[in-house]
Amino acid sequence: MEEIVKTIASALGPGKIQKKPFEDAFLTQDLSVMEIDSFLINLCMEAACVKELLSIPWVCEGGLVENMELVVEEYRQTRRLLPIRLCVLGPPAVGKSSLSQHICDHYKLHHISLKDVISETISQLEETVKNEDPEADTEDSATEVQELLDGLKDSLENNGGHLDDQLLVKVMKNKLMSNPCRNQGFVLDGFPKTYEQAKALFSVEEEESEERTSKLPPHNEKIIPGFVLTLDASDAFLKDRVMNLPERLVEEKNYQQEHFLQQLARYRADNLLDTTVLNYFDELDIMLLHMEITSSDDPDCLLLMHKIKETVGPSRNYGPSSQEVEEEERQRTEERMMQEAQEKAEKEQREAQEAMQRAALWEEWRRRLEEGRQQEEELLEAQSLPMRNYLMEHVMPTLSQGLIQCCTVKPHDPVDFLAEYLLKNNPRNY
């Protein structure tokens, strides 16, 4: 069983296993009780008896360990766990890296760029040389590692930070042949650049080439891209985009004016040759998807991704584990709760603002009503002033005397007495 597990780990992972007590199986959420019980079965039988009693066509007579690659391939085909391999090509600053990263995020693929692969390879080689076991019988391999490391550093130093094609193809091919790239898939960012590089990168060994029956040119089907995306844009658009890039990105991408113009001219010259890198993929009947870039806006990028999704199709990669599903569900729950809390806070803020607006409008209405009442009183006061003055000057003195006289005489009919008094003593003799 240990050999089988090691072989599976080597075919689908880094090849390392970890021994754990059987009780830990009950703590694994991905395993059901029936699956755990099946691990306890100790089925022993003679292989000769099985072969004689069961007349079936054997596929892996040598066992799982010897035929693990065949079993893994059958498992992938049956479960449709097929790696997605893409190649994104185009002139400098057209947006290859950004689009490649979007594709990797959507399909859960590995982003393969020249700079990252070279740095990663040098770091791994330095770590291997540093942690070399002096007692281990690996003198030849250690020497090869040191020679490769020295060759990479010398090539970078002699070629102004670039590798020669032979070393570059070797480093990239080793990366593409790694288990993560072969199992999950990858997006090859801006490489290969020429027909010769493509032919060397995807070449196969002579033994494998002789076994092939396809009419297509020999190529390594394990790493050959299934889709090639070619981005293009006008030189004026690319120059304008570089001019508007932040200085940090210009330094990181080596897009200084002189270097960028040289890269652009080299790309245009390579694509004017009789045999370009696109001719190589066309000879292998690989789907070529050409995209013209005319804007840097987000809607255009979303439109490109939509077109790519329609061409490539749905993801065909391994599904998430139960822990990843729970984590994703937890994140969705947290996002939903945060959104609900935000909506509630916005609603409360909106209601508070509406209440403040209503209070302000009510206060404004009361103020205007009070101002109108005061203006009306002032107007009435102003209109009644002449009449009041007239009464005080011409009517009230005589009326007051009449009332005093009425109180003195005490007539039987005070009203009639007062009326006669006012007629007799009218100051104007009306």
Side-chain angles (χ1 to χ4, degrees), residues 266-333:
R266 189 182 306 115
Y267 174 83
R268 298 300 187 198
D270 290 340
N271 283 270
L272 290 176
L273 300 175
D274 295 335
T275 54
T276 66
V277 64
L278 297 181
N279 296 134
Y280 176 81
F281 293 115
D282 190 46
E283 291 174 0
L284 297 177
D285 289 339
I286 294 176
M287 179 178 292
L288 302 177
L289 182 61
H290 181 79
M291 298 181 179
E292 188 72 21
I293 307 299
T294 58
S295 173
S296 302
D297 297 335
D298 290 338
D300 291 334
C301 184
L302 295 176
L303 186 61
L304 289 178
M305 280 301 302
H306 179 71
K307 190 174 182 181
I308 292 171
K309 292 175 187 177
E310 286 184 343
T311 304
V312 178
S315 177
R316 304 190 295 269
N317 219 319
Y318 297 86
S321 63
S322 59
Q323 291 85 354
E324 292 173 338
V325 172
E326 291 179 1
E327 179 66 19
E328 187 176 351
E329 181 64 26
R330 185 185 63 81
Q331 291 180 356
R332 282 200 298 264
T333 303

Side-chain angles (χ1 to χ4, degrees), residues 87-353:
C87 180
V88 181
L89 303 175
V94 76
K96 300 186 296 296
S97 298
S98 300
L99 183 61
S100 298
Q101 191 59 53
H102 282 300
I103 298 173
C104 290
D105 294 340
H106 177 74
Y107 286 105
K108 303 294 187 297
L109 305 177
H110 299 279
H111 186 186
I112 309 299
S113 64
L114 290 175
K115 185 177 180 180
D116 294 339
V117 172
I118 294 173
S119 300
E120 179 185 349
T121 302
I122 292 177
S123 299
Q124 291 177 350
L125 293 175
E126 289 176 342
E127 189 69 19
T128 302
V129 173
K130 180 180 179 181
N131 298 327
E132 179 185 355
D133 187 0
E135 297 181 359
D137 188 17
T138 58
E139 183 177 352
D140 293 339
S141 60
T143 303
E144 292 178 1
V145 170
Q146 186 64 53
E147 290 178 355
L148 179 58
L149 179 60
D150 294 339
L152 291 175
K153 291 184 176 180
D154 291 342
S155 180
L156 289 174
E157 183 178 353
N158 297 331
N159 297 304
H162 300 283
L163 290 177
D164 58 57
D165 281 359
Q166 184 178 359
L167 286 174
L168 184 58
V169 168
K170 183 176 182 179
V171 169
M172 294 297 291
K173 194 168 188 176
N174 290 338
K175 179 64 177 178
L176 298 184
M177 289 295 291
S178 64
N179 281 344
C181 291
R182 290 179 57 187
N183 292 327
Q184 280 79 43
F186 57 83
V187 177
L188 196 52
D189 181 3
F191 189 83
K193 301 179 184 296
T194 64
Y195 184 93
E196 290 73 18
Q197 287 179 347
K199 189 175 181 180
L201 178 63
F202 302 115
S203 62
V204 292
E205 301 295 335
E206 294 183 2
E207 295 81 4
E208 298 179 8
S209 178
E210 292 176 357
E211 295 176 359
R212 290 180 52 84
T213 59
S214 175
K215 296 181 180 180
L216 297 176
H219 60 279
N220 193 337
E221 295 183 355
K222 296 178 181 178
I223 61 174
I224 192 72
F227 304 90
V228 176
L229 313 178
T230 60
L231 309 181
D232 201 2
S234 64
D235 291 357
F237 173 81
L238 296 174
K239 293 175 184 177
D240 182 69
R241 170 179 276 188
V242 170
M243 290 179 61
N244 293 318
L245 283 177
E247 186 175 351
R248 177 184 59 82
L249 287 178
V250 173
E251 300 251 345
E252 180 181 338
K253 300 288 186 180
N254 196 20
Y255 281 166
Q256 291 84 358
Q257 183 177 4
E258 182 179 353
H259 293 288
F260 172 74
L261 293 178
Q262 290 177 356
Q263 295 177 35
L264 183 58
R266 189 182 306 115
Y267 174 83
R268 298 300 187 198
D270 290 340
N271 283 270
L272 290 176
L273 300 175
D274 295 335
T275 54
T276 66
V277 64
L278 297 181
N279 296 134
Y280 176 81
F281 293 115
D282 190 46
E283 291 174 0
L284 297 177
D285 289 339
I286 294 176
M287 179 178 292
L288 302 177
L289 182 61
H290 181 79
M291 298 181 179
E292 188 72 21
I293 307 299
T294 58
S295 173
S296 302
D297 297 335
D298 290 338
D300 291 334
C301 184
L302 295 176
L303 186 61
L304 289 178
M305 280 301 302
H306 179 71
K307 190 174 182 181
I308 292 171
K309 292 175 187 177
E310 286 184 343
T311 304
V312 178
S315 177
R316 304 190 295 269
N317 219 319
Y318 297 86
S321 63
S322 59
Q323 291 85 354
E324 292 173 338
V325 172
E326 291 179 1
E327 179 66 19
E328 187 176 351
E329 181 64 26
R330 185 185 63 81
Q331 291 180 356
R332 282 200 298 264
T333 303
E334 290 180 355
E335 291 176 358
R336 184 175 64 254
M337 293 177 64
M338 290 177 60
Q339 184 177 1
E340 291 177 354
Q342 184 179 0
E343 291 177 353
K344 183 179 179 181
E346 291 177 354
K347 182 180 179 181
E348 292 177 353
Q349 183 180 4
R350 186 168 57 251
E351 291 177 349
Q353 291 177 351

Side-chain angles (χ1 to χ4, degrees), residues 60-103:
C60 301
E61 291 189 55
L64 286 175
V65 175
E66 294 182 5
N67 299 275
M68 183 56 66
E69 187 172 349
L70 179 62
V71 174
V72 169
E73 185 61 28
E74 183 179 349
Y75 174 80
R76 289 184 184 136
Q77 296 292 338
T78 303
R79 297 296 183 92
R80 302 298 300 168
L81 299 175
L82 305 176
I84 296 177
R85 299 184 291 266
L86 297 98
C87 180
V88 181
L89 303 175
V94 76
K96 300 186 296 296
S97 298
S98 300
L99 183 61
S100 298
Q101 191 59 53
H102 282 300
I103 298 173

Side-chain angles (χ1 to χ4, degrees), residues 2 44 54-55 68 72 103 132 185 214 258 352 389 391 403:
E2 183 177 347
C44 297
L54 302 178
S55 57
M68 183 56 66
V72 169
I103 298 173
E132 179 185 355
S214 175
E258 182 179 353
N389 293 336
L391 293 174
L403 292 173

